[in-house]
């Protein structure tokens, strides 16, 4: 089976064929850096981290670009509130983002461009659009894209211009010729800080959000590339506008495959500060380790709605423990490398080639864990661990994961195990059982084997 991907543009799952054989160029809309990343951001970055990992595991040479928006109204406002420069704020938030997503195993992209480093490319594209009659400067100084002059606007979202017009506000904003037009260059306001203003032929100002991604993706991947991704909420208007301005400027197709991940809900409701169910990645990592959080997100297909709850996280942690428990007997052994001809690996590949079906891939891991519990086969164990690595899980020493989070330190537990062994040697089985029960009540489960006694956290 060859890789098949759901393409938002065609609204179907279709075979993936890269523009250049053996090479994939992919762009994903990244963060607007003014605060800590929340779980919705984690959901998006996890989705495309899996895509990146699977493309590489499939033998493709992948150039992955995930941008950083480091100039925008929210950033300006937050920098002013905190009494710092925009650069100081964005540097701080970028460092925090990298730490947080690193904790859940997100692989760094090939390129992580900052929007403010690509102002010249944005201005060049805006100039091209103006020369082609697709952009105009309004009387307030803004430069806008003329939506009705671009044939095919709405092909990604399926929205017709007449339907959009029916829902528009009566007032036309800031000198736009049409309410549907969107800003390419925002003219600077007198009250804005100097570090929010960039020189241009249109006067001082800053780029609109949409033009940033068009300019950065074309600069780093070329004017026509393979995959563009982001959250479902970006499909319209952001990605629709990217297509219009990019294809309007270059005169050729922009992207072959558009991918969008599903929304995040919290206890079956939309995550929202107003509902009091808003969580940053750091909030969650206070109670759950990064691998558990990663595994939890892998259990939902990237296009499906993702329901976040403590109950689901607890269940994910127990499920992950089952997988580590199957690997525990092989701790310290040098296992054979992943064998892609193994039936388990073939089943895993079939799942992942089906539009990155991580629930199906995890089902293969659980089936393999069941078999390992019946038959301690090192060949299967090596393939099992290798497949898990593709998804970014099961890479800790099993005992470290299984013993993590105990209220008792390891030395104290080991001392109690030694006392129990002494009691058993003295045939004082009542005392041995009492020690086992005391440890169990503290959340420590003992496992006896011919090789001795080990423990895990319940």
């Amino acid at each position: 089976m060859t890789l098949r991907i759901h393409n938002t543009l065609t609204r179907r799952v279709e075979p993936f064929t890269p523009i250049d054989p053996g090479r994939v160029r992919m762009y994903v809309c990244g963060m607007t850096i003014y605060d800590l990343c929340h779980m919705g951001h984690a959901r998006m970055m996890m989705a495309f981290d899996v895509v990146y990992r699977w493309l590489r595991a499939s033998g493709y040479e992948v150039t992955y670009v995930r941008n950083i928006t480091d100039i925008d109204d929210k950033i300006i406002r937050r920098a002013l509130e905190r009494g710092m420069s925009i650069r100081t704020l964005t540097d701080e938030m970028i460092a925090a983002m990298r730490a947080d997503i690193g904790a859940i195993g997100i692989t760094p992209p090939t390129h992580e461009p900052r929007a403010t480093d690509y102002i010249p490319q944005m201005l060049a594209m805006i100039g091209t659009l103006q020369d082609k009659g697709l952009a105009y400067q309004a009387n307030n100084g803004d430069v806008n894209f003329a939506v009705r002059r671009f044939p095919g606007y709405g092909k990604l979202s399926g929205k017709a211009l007449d339907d959009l017009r029916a829902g528009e506000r009566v007032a036309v904003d800031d000198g736009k010729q049409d309410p549907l037009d969107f800003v390419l260059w925002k003219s600077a306001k007198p009250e804005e800080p100097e570090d929010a203003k960039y020189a241009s032929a249109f006067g001082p100002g800053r780029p609109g959000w949409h033009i940033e991604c068009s300019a950065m993706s074309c600069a780093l991947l070329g004017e026509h590339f393979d995959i563009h991704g982001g959250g479902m909420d970006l499909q319209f208007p952001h990605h629709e506008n990217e297509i219009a301005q990019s294809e309007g400027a270059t005169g050729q197709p922009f992207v072959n495959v558009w991918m969008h991940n599903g929304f995040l809900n919290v206890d079956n409701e939309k995550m929202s500060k107003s509902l009091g169910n808003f969580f940053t990645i750091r909030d969650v990592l206070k109670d759950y380790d990064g691998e558990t959080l990663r595994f939890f997100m892998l259990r939902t297909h990237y296009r499906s709605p993702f329901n976040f709850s403590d109950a689901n996280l607890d269940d994910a942690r127990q499920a992950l423990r089952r997988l580590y428990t199957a690997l525990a007997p092989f701790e310290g052994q040098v296992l054979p490398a992943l064998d892609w001809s193994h039936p388990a690996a073939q089943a895993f590949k079939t799942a992942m080639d089906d539009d990155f079906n991580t629930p199906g891939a995890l089902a293969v891991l659980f089936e393999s864990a069941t078999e390992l519990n019946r038959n301690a086969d090192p060949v299967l164990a090596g393939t099992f661990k290798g497949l898990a690595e593709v998804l970014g899980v099961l890479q800790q020493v099993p005992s470290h994961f299984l013993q993590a989070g105990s209220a008792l330190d390891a030395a104290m537990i080991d001392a109690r195990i030694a006392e129990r062994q002494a009691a058993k040697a003295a045939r004082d089985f009542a005392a041995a059982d009492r020690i086992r029960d005391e440890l169990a009540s503290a959340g420590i489960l003992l496992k006896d084997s011919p090789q001795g006694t080990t423990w895990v956290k319940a």
Side-chain angles (χ1 to χ4, degrees):
M1 181 176 180
T2 58
L3 176 61
R4 294 169 58 82
I5 304 176
H6 183 272
N7 188 351
T8 308
L9 186 64
T10 61
R11 294 163 182 77
R12 62 176 181 263
V13 177
E14 54 194 22
F16 174 68
T17 303
I19 297 167
D20 300 321
R23 182 180 175 219
V24 178
R25 289 169 288 156
M26 178 171 75
Y27 185 93
V28 171
C29 291
M31 310 315 310
T32 298
I33 299 296
Y34 69 97
D35 208 341
L36 295 174
C37 292
H38 57 65
M39 282 303 303
H41 299 143
R43 161 70 158 150
M44 178 276 294
M45 284 190 273
M46 261 295 301
F48 293 99
D49 183 65
V50 168
V51 172
Y52 183 34
R53 285 170 178 267
W54 184 243
L55 289 171
R56 293 196 302 173
S58 300
Y60 290 109
E61 176 191 342
V62 185
T63 303
Y64 175 24
V65 179
R66 189 186 67 224
N67 78 293
I68 292 172
T69 293
D70 60 347
I71 183 69
D72 122 304
D73 292 345
K74 291 179 180 178
I75 292 172
I76 296 168
R77 188 159 53 246
R78 183 60 56 85
L80 289 172
E81 289 170 357
R82 295 186 58 187
M84 59 175 57
S85 70
I86 290 172
R87 184 72 186 206
T88 300
L89 172 68
T90 54
D91 283 351
E92 176 189 319
M93 290 297 105
I94 289 170
M97 175 195 73
R98 288 173 177 163
D100 292 348
I101 64 177
I104 56 175
I106 302 296
T107 309
T110 316
H111 303 286
E112 195 176 46
R114 297 173 69 132
T116 54
D117 291 335
Y118 287 78
I119 300 289
Q121 290 88 339
M122 297 173 200
L123 289 170
M125 184 172 280
I126 294 169
T128 298
L129 290 169
Q130 188 178 46
D131 291 343
K132 290 187 171 186
L134 292 170
Y136 61 91
Q137 188 161 21
N139 54 20
N140 67 348
D142 289 353
V143 180
N144 298 318
F145 184 90
V147 168
R148 292 185 181 277
R149 298 179 200 168
F150 177 74
Y153 188 87
K155 61 184 175 182
L156 179 67
S157 60
K159 297 180 182 294
L161 286 178
D162 289 342
D163 293 338
L164 292 170
R165 179 125 197 168
E168 74 191 26
R169 294 182 179 181
V170 175
V172 175
D173 288 335
D174 300 327
K176 290 180 181 179
Q177 294 176 0
D178 189 296
L180 299 181
D181 295 347
F182 59 87
V183 68
L184 299 168
W185 185 257
K186 293 185 176 183
S187 178
K189 307 296 188 293
E191 67 274 12
E192 291 175 339
E194 289 304 309
D195 59 352
K197 300 173 183 177
Y198 295 83
S200 81
F202 310 109
R206 64 180 184 277
W209 177 36
H210 310 301
I211 196 68
E212 294 178 7
C213 289
S214 287
M216 286 186 280
S217 61
C218 288
L220 291 167
L221 298 174
E223 294 175 349
H224 179 207
F225 55 94
D226 299 290
I227 299 172
H228 194 314
M232 194 175 291
D233 55 322
L234 299 187
Q235 183 178 337
F236 182 86
H238 183 52
H239 289 163
E240 193 74 71
N241 291 349
E242 275 192 66
I243 291 174
Q245 63 201 5
S246 299
E247 295 186 358
T250 68
Q252 64 174 314
F254 179 37
V255 174
N256 283 2
V257 179
W258 286 86
M259 297 179 64
H260 295 92
N261 64 273
F263 288 120
L264 171 80
N265 295 320
V266 177
D267 290 324
N268 296 307
E269 290 187 304
K270 182 180 178 181
M271 186 175 76
S272 167
K273 288 183 178 179
S274 63
L275 293 175
N277 64 356
F278 182 89
F279 298 99
T280 66
I281 299 174
R282 289 192 178 183
D283 290 334
V284 181
L285 291 176
K286 291 174 184 176
D287 298 314
Y288 298 90
D289 65 278
E291 187 176 5
T292 293
L293 181 53
R294 180 181 184 87
F295 182 80
F296 171 46
M297 290 188 280
L298 289 171
R299 299 177 87 183
T300 300
H301 189 271
Y302 80 92
R303 282 193 292 116
S304 299
F306 176 71
N307 190 43
F308 178 90
S309 72
D310 286 349
N312 288 344
L313 264 168
D314 290 337
D315 183 66
R317 179 158 54 189
Q318 291 305 312
L320 185 56
R321 290 175 65 81
R322 284 174 52 200
L323 298 182
Y324 265 114
T325 299
L327 205 53
F330 303 93
E331 186 170 318
Q333 297 183 29
V334 177
L335 295 172
L338 167 57
D339 176 7
W340 282 108
S341 68
H342 193 286
Q346 289 292 300
F348 183 97
K349 183 180 186 303
T350 296
M352 291 299 290
D353 278 345
D354 182 16
D355 196 26
F356 310 99
N357 181 3
T358 54
L362 289 178
V364 174
L365 293 185
F366 280 106
E367 290 167 5
S368 298
T370 299
E371 180 58 30
L372 285 172
N373 290 331
R374 286 196 297 255
N375 177 22
D377 176 7
V379 173
L380 175 56
T383 293
F384 174 70
K385 192 173 189 296
L387 294 173
E389 184 178 7
V390 172
L391 298 178
V393 294
L394 294 187
Q395 300 311 297
Q396 296 186 53
V397 175
S399 61
H400 291 176
F401 181 86
L402 294 170
Q403 295 175 3
S406 171
L408 303 177
D409 64 42
M412 182 180 297
I413 296 168
D414 289 341
R416 295 294 281 161
I417 289 173
E419 291 175 22
R420 178 171 176 264
Q421 288 172 332
K424 289 171 71 175
R427 305 189 65 80
D428 188 353
F429 299 114
D433 290 346
R434 185 168 60 253
I435 293 169
R436 181 199 60 205
D437 293 343
E438 287 171 359
L439 288 172
S441 67
I444 304 300
L445 299 182
L446 302 185
K447 295 189 175 184
D448 295 319
S449 73
Q451 289 74 39
T453 301
T454 59
W455 64 273
V456 298
K457 184 178 179 294

